[in-house]
Amino acid sequence: MKKYIVITGGQLFNKGAQAMTFITADEMAKRYPDKEVVLLSNMDSRRGKEEREQYTFRIQKYPGALQLLLLKNKLTAAVLRRIGAPETKAYEALMKETAAVIDVSGYALGSNWGYKKTIFYLTRIAVARRHQIPVYLMPQSFGPFHYKGIAAPFVKSMIRKNLRYAKEVMCREQDGYKLVHDEYGITNATLAPDLVLQNAEIAPANVYKNVPVLWTKEIPEGSVALIPNQKAMLYGNPEALYEMYIKIAETLEARQRKLWLIYHSAEDFEICKEIRSRCSTSNVQIIEEELSCLAFDALVKKFDFVIASRFHAVVHAYRNAVPAVVPGWAVKYRELLDLFGQGAYMFDVRSQIDADAVAAAVADMCDTYPERKEQIRNGLIQIREKNVYDKILL
């Protein structure tokens, strides 16, 4: 009997990816306690031994990109088993004993990320296909598929072949579903809400060998959190966004509310510091600790609402019935907010952001957040009637 369940597309640095990894480890521990969960993550494999070994699941590297590509073919795989690097041999040995591959990528398959990331994503499925391992693509964003150049036909053929092989292709948004189902003929595609929304609670003992203390510091009543996103700066106008943040701080100070700056991904910490340095108000503080997704889950409940540009920061807030004002940059934000009847609080940073309009939405949320919380609670009841992990049958 095969003994491993492999998670791909996950990692532990970004809180959204960490949450999807933790939820998958937790769900598999509850459903298949005889299996060992393995997270494939090059970034996390570089952590120190003590840090890696705090988790109940094992962390392992992928082979190099070229070696992974060659491993999808039986003949070249046989050669690489003899002459390949240690991680190549370890990967092949893992695949031979793997019962299922569960991909938790939030957004990895699309031309926005270039050929390299696309081929890396599809090749992981191709290697699983060679070993006849069932593959489950958990709720994620797909597309666009505007590949150009001589490699475009090859990549599009890889998309069709490998997505058709997957047992489930779960799409978070209508746009992605239409692309893979209508344009690529992927009949095993379905629409499904983000898996973090569907999960009500993680058992920490299914993730940590020794459960750490989560969040114990006090947050004053009436506090609001602001969670920026480096990608919003990339897709929007940074100076206009900083002006927006200043207006938000001023709006909240006028209502005698504290504003807490939190980074949901390590790359956003510098933005938090820059926002604080630009604000002349005295109501702004930074939470400097790097939080696990479980600690963030415990923390976010203490706020009346959040202003968040990280997609999974919004998901984490909604998961706890905490409303959000959202300066976002992709269709996934719009569809998420519409799912809970919160579309009026979505602002697209790719167009000229209206700082006054965002500040007005923040002021409105100060008055109406109890009603918004109730809307979100009702939405969660409907979403949690089903669980995407019920589709994983080993």
Side-chain angles (χ1 to χ4, degrees), residues 75-94:
L75 179 61
T76 50
V79 174
L80 282 176
R81 275 197 296 273
R82 288 182 173 274
I83 64 172
E87 60 265 25
T88 305
K89 294 176 181 178
Y91 184 76
E92 269 288 275
L94 175 68

Side-chain angles (χ1 to χ4, degrees), residues 21 78 126 131 139 144 152 156 163 171 178 245 379:
T21 300
H131 286 278
K156 290 180 178 180
L163 292 194
C171 309
K178 287 178 181 177
Y245 292 135

